[in-house]
């Protein structure tokens, strides 16, 4: 189980990722911070072995598909044809980072305005007529698991 502090940090990171296309919306930030242990989409953060997989929406372009083995735990449609996908990678942070970077750089996306820290990373991306942001976070209480959030829209 992740601590309240870690949950709040993950929720805040998810909000940053999901508001990147529209600016910071204080209601969304307050909502995410009010529910420790979940992402901004209300999806509980779980280890890959405990996750209940959901299908990716048909509207999500193939170029935005997550690498093989990732478990989709949440999909939320937003206004302006935006979609937020949350998932958990059953792989360590460094391997997940390499896979996400490779997936998004080899499928027609151009990265911008990103950063990598010891336990988290994020990047904006654009291409294929769309733009978005991905964010990954180490899940310290889930050995070698990494949370993944992707926001994509026009």
């Amino acid at each position: 189980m992740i601590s309240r502090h870690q949950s709040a940090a993950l929720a805040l990171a998810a909000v940053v990722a999901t508001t990147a296309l529209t600016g910071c919306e204080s209601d969304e930030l307050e909502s995410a911070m009010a529910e420790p242990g979940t992402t901004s989409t209300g999806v509980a953060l779980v280890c890959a072995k405990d996750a209940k997989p959901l299908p990716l929406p048909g509207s999500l372009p193939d170029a935005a598909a997550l690498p093989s083995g990732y478990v989709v735990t949440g999909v939320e449609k937003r206004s302006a044809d935006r979609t937020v996908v949350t998932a958990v990678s059953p792989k360590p942070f460094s391997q997940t980072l390499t896979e996400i970077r490779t997936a998004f750089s080899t499928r027609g996306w151009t990265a911008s305005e990103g950063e990598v820290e010891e336990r988290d990373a994020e990047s904006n991306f654009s291409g294929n007529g769309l733009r978005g942001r991905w964010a990954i976070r180490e899940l310290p209480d889930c050995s070698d698991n990494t949370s993944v959030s992707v926001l994509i829209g026009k």
Side-chain angles (χ1 to χ4, degrees), residues 47-101:
C47 300
K49 67 179 178 58
D50 300 323
K52 294 182 176 30
L54 297 174
L56 285 173
S59 61
L60 195 72
D62 290 341
L66 296 172
S68 179
Y70 291 28
V71 182
V72 174
T73 58
V75 175
E76 183 181 356
K77 294 298 284 178
R78 296 279 178 94
S79 61
D81 291 326
R82 296 174 304 145
T83 301
V84 178
V85 175
T86 54
V88 61
S89 164
K91 301 170 186 176
F93 173 79
S94 61
Q95 186 176 353
T96 300
L97 176 59
T98 298
E99 289 180 351
I100 290 289
R101 282 178 161 170

Side-chain angles (χ1 to χ4, degrees), residues 61 109 121:
W109 304 107

Side-chain angles (χ1 to χ4, degrees), residues 27-48:
D27 290 344
E28 192 168 25
L29 178 60
E30 288 174 21
S31 172
M33 294 308 289
E35 299 181 44
T38 64
T39 66
S40 65
T41 60
V43 176
L45 297 169
V46 297
C47 300

